[in-house]
């Protein structure tokens, strides 16, 4: 069996930074060469970043992408890397006639570009694969942006037939990537697969199934890094033709995974070029028909340890925040620290993401603030080293009330907004990015003040239900203890009953059901999209379900103006869930 | 030639209000019967409202829709309307095997419902057409939500073959609705076509072209009313087989257009049921093969007058605001009135939409407010009758500054935010919906204060460039004069140079190019998606283009948190333009 040495580059590109992303690929090519690799594979759309959304409509961006692939091919040859086979993801112009095989009535956009993988070697682009399956659900709008491909690409390298696919291609059933690979020795898959809790298990199962179906090894290379609401977790994996895991990159960091694979030699039984195979046109390219010399020393495949369930969610939040700050050119963040568990957890995440010297907390006590709300914020600052400033709101609040004489909810909201104006003023003065500290349970039910605690450029825990806020806080402290470090989160912030402290003695449970119940109902209604009657059938009180569902439906206007934050669940509040503000649909029981 | 009397119902349904929308259809059926009509046609999705967005994922909503069509059929018969042929738009479950003819690799969502038109008569649903073409561009996400149909439906009524199509079906070229109708006497098209400036001309041209291609008359029935960011303008039209306009409903109001059409009798040359015609399966239903008796009196077709170019845009803004307020259960609105032209125009629109007694303005003078900014607001109130309250901000501003000592831009923003908190406090206390008064030029360039002048539940002029703000203001005054009424907008508010009045002597032109130039560059870059070099090629200064493009790219984070408002242009800032916040792509020259 011929042996291929593969280098799989788990990379963190920046959307739109074509030059910077290209340099990063060149750098990985040097590293791959240094490690003796024959083939380097990048993630999906690595030259452009992902997702590019409506930048796909800009002719200038498409042209720049096309030029970049050609420039990359020349650069690699110039730098003595011409022998390496580089399979790189990028935006490109559609091939002529690409739409010919599609029913016209589907309205595939005309002149749309392609989501492509080019095979580069010897200073030239020798083959190009265009993604077939365009996901158009959840957070994805690919049918809006891309022309689907209808060709299978098989590239022979070192005597092994290598098939190429992109992300969604292996998630769909039917005549697709798995079938493409049926006669190949290796299927490489370029991915831009965003993190969701427990998705790594799903991905590994999927890769194993496709490998067994195709009876070929499968190398799955994923992006890593944050991009607006998405976090890519990496988790690049290789499985053998029996579906067994051979190698794995760590989650949430860049990596170059290099390994030797013994693969079956190409046979003459492959479908001939130009023929149709499972409805797709087969293209074949021979780069090198002779096996490479056996490597002097076999590389032992590395299988990185994974984070546990809570750990991976926490790390996703850290990476999402770090990349939003970094990629948007900020150097510091500011948040209101109420002493409550939400802002305390955000403070801990921010310190982990950026370092304590870039994190600024503001405590804004009011007449209704408890003593522990102030002391818990001080304790967080002491443990983590973040900077804490205190600005009492009474004088401003009183000045407003002399003008407005608000009461009830209006008076409660006023306190939250007085604080927000202070944070935004400090942000404008000092250039900090303001973080909104609301959790998913609040966002779902509208239990927050718009233009008050909801202000911010980024919302690190907007996809974290309250019960998970507590779990992650405990996990973070336990992680510190395991490493012999100070647990960052004051125990009292975890233990005390949650309160907005906008009136004397107020508790969240005055307005909401207990969070254990609320979060279970929200999981059913929001994440699993069940009807109210189905939620009740899961064992919840009908009146409570009706109340929660109504709260969710009526709070859409607030969510629409909420800052972006990292998606970690099956369905976050963002592009994942697009519902009308104006609707009279109410689930009946 | 047989004669059909058609009733075309231009209706304003509410999304999700299936019961209310059903009642409205029954009411139109009675009116159609009273007018002697044989056939009643509604707009697209009238039972559900449109667009329903991800409500399409809710099994409960789909089931309720299916039940509603059946209930409607029974109701019509019960109320003695069984003889009427009612063609009604609604959501439905996909037919078995609906996806069989589609390439699997397109990833059409499984179990997705259909965007359907049912033909109801004699208490039964006798035929159902499912929309073929699913728009997935601009504001539309239909490929995300619906299963496309692949059947042609021909229903013989009074001896005339009537073909059915839905909206996008007639916008796409190829074997589609126009071909369906090739052998029919009449094509009826159910539409949910949102308003865009000058779109009525485009629609009429399109209908005329399809009628000539199919050599059959065409009845185009559109929705009317506001739904979140969309405004449906109605403009229901009928053209004869030569493409000549015969009848037209007024824009921006409900209507029942009744007319007699002499149509060719059905011939035996039609494709047989079950055969395939241009790739689509033909279904035929005979409701009545005999021509109806000649009507005793011919109805003269009505051709409603259209608004002029500025008038229709103004009316779209009025209807969009009125429906957002009404359909979301508000009874009044509140806005900051600075005396500037933006808030003045919003005040005039609000009074036209809701009546002066539901419009509350607040003037918030600061140390930098000019005398005319106060007197122009007073003059607007005097002319329109809206309520004006004055709350000076100095005391609150000073209280903040004693704590924060902000300067520069931070100090300017502070003033805007102090005002916003006052508006939101009054809104919470009294239940008013707050209106944001920013225009499209500001939104494009980020020339506004987030959580300051940008607050609000709805933003009536967010899709109106500044130069159009002036034009619409002049148009509104001229319209009043033509009707012998008081022009609502003080001339000085139109004539004075625009200023945010956040520091002494400040003018918009300190920070921005003159609006005539700015708006022309924005039209090229935002609405027409040109690259920077192409914009320069249209005759603009390169440095200026680069500056404007950079401002637009950097302000996405503010737009993401801006309230919804009515789309009136080719591309509004909303679901029409989905770009990343995090991007380093910069147009180079």
């Amino acid at each position: 069996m011929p042996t291929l040495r593969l280098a799989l580059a788990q990379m963190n590109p920046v959307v739109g930074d074509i030059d910077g992303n290209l340099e990063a690929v060149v750098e990985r090519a040097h590293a791959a060469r240094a490690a003796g690799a024959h083939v380097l594979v990048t993630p999906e759309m690595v030259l452009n970043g992902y997702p590019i959304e409506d930048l796909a409509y800009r002719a200038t961006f498409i042209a720049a992408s096309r030029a970049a692939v050609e420039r990359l091919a020349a650069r690699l040859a110039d730098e003595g890397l011409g022998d390496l086979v580089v399979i790189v993801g990028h935006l490109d112009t559609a091939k002529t006639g690409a739409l010919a095989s599609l029913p016209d009535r589907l309205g595939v956009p005309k002149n749309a570009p392609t989501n492509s993988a080019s095979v580069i070697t010897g200073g030239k682009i020798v083959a190009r694969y265009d993604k077939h399956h365009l996901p158009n659900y959840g957070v994805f709008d690919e049918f809006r942006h891309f022309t689907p491909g209808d060709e299978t690409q098989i590239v022979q390298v070192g005597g092994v037939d290598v098939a190429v696919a992109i992300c969604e291609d292996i998630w769909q059933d039917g005549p697709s990537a798995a079938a493409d690979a049926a006669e190949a020795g290796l299927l490489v898959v370029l991915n831009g697969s965003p993190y969701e809790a427990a998705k790594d298990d799903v991905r590994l199962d999927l890769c194993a199934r496709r490998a067994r179906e195709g009876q070929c090894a499968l190398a799955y290379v994923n992006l890593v890094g944050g991009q607006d609401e998405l976090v890519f977790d990496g988790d690049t994996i290789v499985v053998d033709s029996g579906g067994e895991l051979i190698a794995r990159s760590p989650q949430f960091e860049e990596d170059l995974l290099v390994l030797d694979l013994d693969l079956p030699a190409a046979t003459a039984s492959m479908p001939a070029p130009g023929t149709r195979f499972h409805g797709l046109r087969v293209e074949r390219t021979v780069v090198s028909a002779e096996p490479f010399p056996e490597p002097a020393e076999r590389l032992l495949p590395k299988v990185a340890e994974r984070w546990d369930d809570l750990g991976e969610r926490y790390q996703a939040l850290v990476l999402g925040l770090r990349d939003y700050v970094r990629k948007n050119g900020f150097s510091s963040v500011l948040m209101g620290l109420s002493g409550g568990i939400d802002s305390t957890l955000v403070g801990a995440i921010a310190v982990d993401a950026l370092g304590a010297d870039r994190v600024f907390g503001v405590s804004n006590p009011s007449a209704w603030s408890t003593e522990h709300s102030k002391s818990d914020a001080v304790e967080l600052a002491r443990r983590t080293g973040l900077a804490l400033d205190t600005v009492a709101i009474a004088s401003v609040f009183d000045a407003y009330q002399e003008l407005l004489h608000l009461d009830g909810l209006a008076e409660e909201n006023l306190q939250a907004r007085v604080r927000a104006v202070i944070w935004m003023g400090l942000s404008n003065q000092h250039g900090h990015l303001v973080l909104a500290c609301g959790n998913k349970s609040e966002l779902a039910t509208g239990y927050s003040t718009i233009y008050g605690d909801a202000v911010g450029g980024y919302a690190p825990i907007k996809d974290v239900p309250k019960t998970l806020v507590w779990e992650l806080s405990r996990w973070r402290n336990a992680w510190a203890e395991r490493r012999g470090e100070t647990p960052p989160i004051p125990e009292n912030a975890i233990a005390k009953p949650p309160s907005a402290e906008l009136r004397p003695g107020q508790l969240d449970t005055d307005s909401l059901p207990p969070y254990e119940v609320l979060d279970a109902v929200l999981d059913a209604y929001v994440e699993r999209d069940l009807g109210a009657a189905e939620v009740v059938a899961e064992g919840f009180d009908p009146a409570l379900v009706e109340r929660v569902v109504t709260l969710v439906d009526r709070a859409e206007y607030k969510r629409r103006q909420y800052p972006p934050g990292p998606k970690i669940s099956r369905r976050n509040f963002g592009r994942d869930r697009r519902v009308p503000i104006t609707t009279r649909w109410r689930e009946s029981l």
Side-chain angles (χ1 to χ4, degrees), chain A:
Chain A
M1 272 191 168
T3 303
L4 282 191
R5 182 164 288 183
L6 290 184
L8 310 177
Q10 179 164 298
M11 297 173 66
N12 187 351
V14 179
V15 163
D17 186 13
I18 295 176
D19 291 346
N21 299 334
L22 187 151
E23 289 307 318
V25 173
V26 172
E27 192 246 299
R28 292 317 181 283
H30 279 292
R33 158 55 50 89
H38 306 117
V39 178
L40 170 69
V41 186
T42 77
E44 180 177 9
M45 288 282 271
V46 79
L47 285 185
N48 303 83
Y50 181 79
I52 57 169
E53 308 186 38
D54 283 2
L55 288 176
Y57 290 164
R58 300 202 72 83
T60 45
F61 190 63
I62 301 170
S65 306
R66 176 70 214 162
V69 203
E70 287 165 8
R71 204 162 76 239
L72 175 64
R75 268 288 294 284
L76 292 170
D78 287 352
E79 303 204 7
L81 300 164
D83 289 350
L84 195 65
V85 176
V86 177
I87 306 180
V88 64
H90 61 93
L91 186 71
D92 212 327
T93 51
K95 296 178 184 176
T96 312
L99 291 178
S101 67
L102 296 177
D104 171 85
R105 74 178 185 284
L106 298 179
V108 177
K110 290 170 181 73
N111 307 316
T114 51
N115 181 332
S116 301
S118 280
V119 182
I120 296 174
T121 194
K124 292 203 159 37
I125 301 161
V126 298
R128 185 183 117 194
Y129 174 90
D130 298 334
K131 189 176 186 177
H132 296 165
H133 287 282
L134 302 176
N136 207 60
Y137 55 80
V139 300
F140 301 108
D141 277 323
E142 294 212 352
F143 210 76
R144 175 183 173 95
H145 294 131
F146 299 122
T147 299
D150 64 352
E151 292 177 355
T152 291
Q153 290 288 351
I154 312 282
V155 181
Q156 196 173 123
V157 183
V160 176
D161 277 336
V162 178
V164 181
I166 300 178
C167 204
E168 185 76 4
D169 290 336
I170 67 160
W171 290 79
Q172 298 297 324
D173 286 322
S176 99
D180 300 353
E183 311 284 324
L186 173 68
L187 173 61
V188 298
V189 190
L190 292 74
N191 300 276
S193 177
Y195 175 71
E196 273 178 32
K199 198 173 178 184
D200 47 356
D201 293 331
V202 180
R203 282 194 207 118
L204 178 55
D205 288 349
L206 176 72
C207 289
R209 181 152 57 89
R210 293 305 186 208
R212 285 191 301 266
E213 286 169 3
Q215 292 178 287
C216 71
L218 189 154
Y220 180 102
V221 188
N222 198 15
L223 290 170
V224 69
Q227 169 60 27
D228 287 353
E229 295 217 313
L230 301 184
V231 181
F232 299 93
D233 51 331
D235 193 36
T236 290
I237 47 186
V238 181
V239 295
D240 67 20
S241 59
E244 287 302 309
L245 180 70
I246 305 173
R248 178 169 229 157
S249 286
Q251 296 167 284
F252 306 111
E253 53 190 85
E254 290 197 311
D255 189 44
L256 188 71
L257 182 62
V258 186
L259 77 164
D260 292 318
L261 279 181
D262 296 331
L263 297 164
T267 64
S269 74
M270 279 292 295
T275 57
R276 297 190 81 81
F277 187 58
H278 291 290
L280 303 166
R281 195 167 58 254
V282 175
E283 297 290 335
R284 303 203 68 197
T285 309
V286 177
V287 171
S288 51
E290 286 305 307
F292 296 115
E294 271 292 307
E297 198 177 354
R298 298 283 292 193
L299 282 179
L300 283 182
K302 162 182 85 174
V303 179
E305 279 231 44
R306 293 162 55 194
W307 292 93
D308 61 24
D309 281 356
L310 291 170
E312 68 172 29
R313 288 185 242 196
Y314 188 88
Q315 297 304 329
L317 302 179
V318 169
L319 181 56
L321 173 59
R322 181 189 298 135
D323 274 2
Y324 192 88
V325 168
R326 177 176 70 85
K327 293 179 179 180
N328 284 294
F330 287 93
S331 54
S332 55
V333 296
L334 176 146
M335 76 214 67
L337 287 178
S338 68
I341 191 59
D342 296 327
S343 58
T344 302
L345 178 61
V346 170
I349 291 169
V351 169
D352 286 338
L354 307 166
D357 57 327
R358 295 169 175 228
V359 180
F360 296 82
V362 186
S363 167
N364 298 115
S366 75
W368 316 134
S369 296
T370 54
E371 207 39 58
H372 62 73
S373 72
K374 290 173 254 182
S375 60
D376 286 343
V378 170
E379 178 63 12
L380 171 72
R382 193 191 65 75
R383 292 180 180 210
T384 61
L386 63 75
L388 179 65
D389 196 4
T390 299
V391 183
I393 66 168
S395 60
V396 175
F397 179 80
D398 292 346
Y400 271 116
Q401 281 294 57
E402 225 164 281
L403 299 173
L404 302 175
H405 313 291
L406 304 179
D407 55 26
L409 203 59
E411 184 183 12
E412 293 183 27
N413 284 331
L414 175 60
Q415 296 167 63
R417 293 193 180 113
V418 168
R419 293 184 173 114
V421 172
I422 291 171
W423 308 335
M424 292 307 301
L426 295 171
S427 160
N428 286 165
Q429 189 78 22
H430 303 292
H432 310 306
L433 174 74
V434 173
L435 302 182
C437 297
N439 62 59
K440 192 176 192 177
S441 313
E442 285 178 5
L443 205 60
T445 53
Y447 193 66
S448 68
T449 300
I450 190 169
Y451 321 126
D453 50 294
V455 309
Y458 194 72
I461 60 169
K462 73 179 280 194
D463 200 29
V464 183
K466 185 77 174 192
T467 49
L468 183 57
V469 168
W470 282 310
E471 287 184 87
L472 290 177
S473 299
R474 286 193 204 96
W475 178 90
R476 181 62 185 83
N477 276 0
W479 184 46
E481 277 165 9
R482 284 199 299 277
R483 301 194 300 174
E485 293 170 2
T486 309
I489 298 174
E491 284 69 22
N492 189 51
I494 303 177
K496 66 188 175 186
S499 164
E501 298 195 346
L502 295 172
R503 59 171 188 264
Q506 184 178 33
L507 290 178
D508 288 10
T509 42
D510 301 344
S511 311
L512 297 174
Y515 281 111
E516 292 68 26
V517 179
L518 176 64
D519 285 355
V521 171
L522 291 173
D523 175 72
Y525 184 62
V526 175
E527 295 198 35
R528 290 185 282 134
D529 233 345
L530 297 187
E534 293 169 294
V535 182
V536 170
E538 295 199 345
F540 298 98
D541 174 60
L544 182 144
V545 170
E546 198 149 31
R547 187 167 139 232
V548 171
V549 160
T550 304
L551 286 172
V552 173
D553 291 349
R554 292 202 178 143
E556 179 59 22
Y557 79 99
K558 285 190 188 177
R559 289 190 288 269
R560 206 66 81 82
Q561 295 190 38
Y562 207 78
K567 168 184 160 80
I568 63 165
S569 76
R570 219 173 328 187
R571 182 166 296 166
N572 77 339
F573 289 119
R575 296 218 170 141
D576 224 0
R577 188 177 190 269
R578 306 177 191 178
V579 295
I581 297 175
T582 305
T583 169
R584 294 203 188 141
W585 173 248
R586 296 286 175 262
E587 295 279 333
S588 56
L589 286 174

